[in-house]
Amino acid sequence: MRRLWVRMLFVVILAVAAVQIVFAPVRIVRRTPEYQGFKVRVNLGLDLQGGSYLVLEAQDTQTLRATPETVDAAMRVIENRIDQLGVVEPTVQRQGSRRIIVELPGIQDPERAIELIGKTALLEFVDTQLTQLPQGARWSADGKTVQLPPPAQPLTLEKKVILTGADLADAQASFDQTTGEPIVNFQLKGKGAKVFEEFTAANIGKYLTIVLDDEVISSPVIRDRIGGGNGQISGGFRDIAEARDLAVLLRGGALPVPVEVIERRSVGPTLGRDSLDRTLRAGGVALVMVLLFMILLYGVGGLLADAALVLYGIFLLAGLTALGATLTLPGIAAFILSVGMAIDANILIFERIKEELRAGKTLRAAIGGGWTRAWSAILDSNVTTLLAALVLFVLGTGPIKGFAVTLALGVVISMFTAIVVTRILVDSTSAALRPSWLRFGAER
């Protein structure tokens, strides 16, 4: 009896820990527990909370071809930029040799995200000597002429790049203390700071033009030597948001090759919520039917299997939360599928117990025999499903991978709840009740 209490305590501790992981009802504030209500902490995917789905394609330039290596480098830059947007659980993955798939769940401003992700953002500091260029002037692709804003004619001026955005250590948006205009303060790193200081010292009274993607942002005159690698980009920002966007681009780095958005889909938050509500409603109806079926077929044994099934659901959500996984519609489908597998294992066990009881064995012997005889069938079916999930994970993309992860985790946890948790519940109940009350549907 003492061992049974220890086993029950083990299940209770696991359940409490899982509830805390999934719902976080209690938090510790200054070493004091504080109740904050129940709230599901599982990350929801693009199809459940809305967001944007983009397919980008890398483009060749005159000097550089889009190879898998440059596309991988572009993916890292895009990931850095998305991190700056604060998107929770974004997905960035390569498709083929040139395409990049980007999923941004919960993004509130998809246009801004697309502008930030798809922009090359090559920042250059150009020596234009005594020529000051107006904002909006644009260098030609070969860097030998500048197209001035209409009606001015093109100007022959070779682009002499002093530094690029690769020399930046940091960039932050701010306001000019004198004019109140939005600006971007930047900090150059190492060798770049030294080159910047030497150049400004040798070219006082001349112009240093700041260029982004071949377009002139500003062309200030150098009034003094600038040491320490600190500088400022000013002029041309409509508001502080535009200055922040440039700072994000500069911190994320320049794309090694230009990319073009070839497919774009948006899922509205209302549609995502509607999908989630419908899915949860369908899952709830299915769960209630399964619970009732087990009670009607196996009586008290079915009630214990139902309790184990509820614990299974909490354990699975806890596993997804702990892994930081994102729950999508296919993931919920995998969740519901694994619920069926979890209850299927209990049905196999209980049917074996019924056979043992019909053969005249005692309840304790029948329970032991039922678990032993059902084990091989449960193991075979779950291993087969795990192999299928592995194939889906290796060969699939996006939602298919999410389906595979949820299914595999669900299969492992369902084996634990069916074989371990249900056994503990059945052993505890059989020790407390008369044998006639726990017959698993077998005739007396």
Side-chain angles (χ1 to χ4, degrees):
M1 181 61 75
R2 186 175 179 181
R3 288 187 60 188
L4 279 178
W5 277 108
V6 173
R7 291 163 67 191
M8 279 297 294
L9 182 62
F10 169 68
V11 173
V12 171
I13 291 174
L14 277 183
V16 171
V19 168
Q20 177 62 27
I21 291 173
V22 177
F23 302 105
V26 178
R27 65 173 182 173
I28 305 298
V29 180
R30 295 177 183 175
R31 298 183 181 180
T32 304
E34 183 178 286
Y35 179 74
Q36 58 178 1
F38 285 75
K39 183 179 179 182
V40 178
R41 298 173 60 202
V42 178
N43 296 319
L44 298 181
L46 185 71
D47 48 2
L48 295 179
Q49 63 169 318
S52 293
Y53 173 89
L54 307 173
V55 179
L56 311 173
E57 186 171 80
Q59 307 294 311
D60 293 332
T61 65
Q62 292 181 341
T63 57
L64 192 63
R65 286 186 57 80
T67 62
E69 290 74 22
T70 56
V71 173
D72 286 342
M75 283 176 54
R76 289 192 289 273
V77 173
I78 290 172
E79 288 171 347
N80 287 336
R81 293 180 183 178
I82 292 174
D83 287 343
Q84 304 286 334
L85 288 173
V87 178
V88 178
E89 295 301 320
T91 300
V92 181
Q93 57 186 346
R94 184 152 62 86
Q95 183 187 57
S97 60
R98 284 174 169 263
R99 294 185 175 181
I100 301 171
I101 295 176
V102 180
E103 293 182 4
L104 304 171
I107 191 75
Q108 300 295 319
D109 188 355
E111 292 296 338
R112 177 175 175 241
I114 291 170
E115 188 175 346
L116 285 177
I117 291 170
K119 207 163 188 173
T120 303
L122 176 59
L123 182 74
E124 295 169 310
F125 296 88
V126 180
D127 175 13
T128 54
Q129 290 295 302
L130 298 175
T131 304
Q132 184 180 28
L133 295 175
Q135 183 188 355
R138 193 171 189 81
W139 247 285
S140 61
D142 59 7
K144 293 183 178 178
T145 59
V146 179
Q147 178 62 56
L148 301 175
Q153 296 296 314
L155 173 68
T156 301
L157 181 64
E158 187 169 356
K159 186 197 285 183
K160 297 179 181 176
V161 179
I162 307 302
L163 294 167
T164 68
D167 296 299
L168 289 181
D170 191 20
Q172 296 290 337
S174 181
F175 289 99
D176 189 290
Q177 297 296 321
T178 305
T179 64
E181 293 180 349
I183 57 173
V184 174
N185 293 313
F186 63 83
Q187 169 73 47
L188 293 164
K189 58 186 177 184
K191 186 179 177 182
K194 186 178 180 181
V195 171
F196 191 65
E197 181 176 358
E198 292 174 353
F199 177 80
T200 53
N203 292 275
I204 293 175
K206 299 178 182 176
Y207 294 97
L208 177 65
T209 300
I210 302 173
V211 180
L212 181 69
D213 293 343
D214 290 332
E215 184 173 320
V216 173
I217 296 178
S218 63
S219 188
V221 65
I222 301 171
R223 301 192 183 283
D224 200 356
R225 174 181 189 157
I226 304 175
N230 296 306
Q232 185 183 93
I233 301 174
S234 59
F237 298 119
R238 290 189 297 270
D239 49 35
I240 188 64
E242 192 171 332
R244 286 197 186 108
D245 286 351
L246 177 60
V248 167
L249 290 171
L250 297 181
R251 289 198 299 271
L255 289 173
V257 288
V259 295
E260 182 180 335
V261 179
I262 61 172
E263 183 181 347
R264 170 190 166 184
R265 280 184 276 144
S266 294
V267 179
T270 304
L271 182 60
R273 172 55 61 182
D274 186 54
S275 299
L276 179 61
D277 291 342
R278 287 172 179 267
T279 306
L280 291 179
R281 196 178 306 136
V285 171
L287 182 62
V288 169
M289 292 178 68
V290 169
L291 296 179
L292 289 176
F293 173 81
M294 291 299 291
I295 293 174
L296 291 174
L297 197 62
Y298 299 109
V300 176
L303 194 63
L304 298 177
D306 290 347
L309 191 63
V310 172
L311 288 175
Y312 158 77
I314 297 174
F315 290 161
L316 180 54
L317 287 176
L320 292 172
T321 305
L323 291 175
T326 300
L327 191 62
T328 61
L329 277 177
I332 292 179
F335 189 109
I336 295 173
L337 178 62
S338 61
V339 166
M341 297 192 64
I343 211 65
D344 182 58
N346 281 324
I347 290 174
L348 282 172
I349 294 170
F350 290 174
E351 288 299 319
R352 296 292 182 272
I353 293 175
K354 283 168 68 175
E355 292 174 3
E356 298 289 331
L357 290 172
R358 285 169 182 158
K361 291 188 177 179
T362 63
L363 178 60
R364 177 169 294 183
I367 292 172
W371 252 273
T372 302
R373 291 179 57 196
W375 164 246
S376 60
I378 295 172
L379 182 65
D380 289 347
S381 63
N382 283 282
V383 168
T384 305
T385 308
L386 280 174
L387 290 174
L390 178 64
V391 173
L392 289 174
F393 182 81
V394 172
L395 301 180
T397 59
I400 303 301
K401 280 184 181 286
F403 176 88
V405 169
T406 307
L407 181 61
L409 191 61
V411 168
V412 173
I413 294 177
S414 72
M415 288 182 66
F416 172 74
T417 53
I419 295 171
V420 177
V421 175
T422 307
R423 178 66 186 269
I424 292 174
L425 295 178
V426 168
D427 285 347
S428 302
T429 306
S430 64
L433 297 181
R434 293 178 181 174
S436 59
W437 292 7
L438 192 60
R439 297 288 298 176
F440 298 94
E443 305 82 6
R444 292 180 176 82

